[in-house]
Amino acid sequence: CVCVCVYVNPSRLSSHHQSARQQRPPRYIWKVDLEHSEVHWRGWFEGISKQFLLAPGAKLLLLAGIDRLDKELTIAQMQGKFQLHVFSGAGHSIHEDAPEKVADTVCTFLVRMRLAEHLP
């Protein structure tokens, strides 16, 4: 099951839709019932922590909160196997909620790992 979200351009709405839009401003209309995809949710993330930890090279994990950090990642972070940066106050999409902070964090990480150089 694939979730499809369709953008609705407000200028293309009829006057009836315009008045309804003023009451409730949805700009997207869900075309798929997400509850039907629930059977697949577990598989999307099963083993993802292990795959992250097995990936070669320097690692940076950006999170909005640590409340769902699993045991495997918690132990690995305490052992210094990756750098963790938590963006408190950010939502699910931290790159959209705090783009400047994410960019700064990634740039600092790349310079620290000598994967990039700081330009004056």
Side-chain angles (χ1 to χ4, degrees), residues 8-118:
V8 178
N9 186 337
S11 66
R12 298 187 69 198
L13 295 174
S14 68
S15 59
H16 169 74
H17 285 102
Q18 288 288 350
S19 63
R21 184 176 178 271
Q22 291 171 357
Q23 297 169 1
R24 195 180 83 164
R27 297 184 73 157
Y28 294 93
I29 300 169
W30 290 102
K31 297 289 186 179
V32 174
D33 185 358
L34 291 178
E35 290 180 3
H36 285 82
S37 68
E38 184 177 3
V39 296
H40 304 287
W41 295 352
R42 183 175 176 91
W44 291 344
F45 302 104
E46 213 166 69
I48 197 167
S49 296
K50 184 176 182 176
Q51 292 299 316
F52 173 73
L53 295 171
L54 290 175
K59 297 172 192 64
L60 171 64
L61 182 60
L62 307 176
L63 298 173
I66 58 170
D67 55 324
R68 297 189 133 192
L69 197 62
D70 63 24
K71 181 180 178 179
E72 191 171 15
L73 286 176
T74 301
I75 292 169
Q77 196 274 330
M78 289 177 171
Q79 294 172 340
K81 293 186 178 181
F82 65 92
Q83 181 180 335
L84 173 66
H85 189 93
V86 180
F87 294 87
S88 59
H92 182 72
S93 301
I94 57 174
H95 60 287
E96 293 178 2
D97 295 339
E100 294 85 10
K101 291 179 182 178
V102 169
D104 185 53
T105 301
V106 171
C107 288
T108 301
F109 175 77
L110 292 174
V111 170
R112 183 179 304 121
M113 295 295 130
R114 296 192 175 128
L115 299 170
E117 292 180 9
H118 178 72

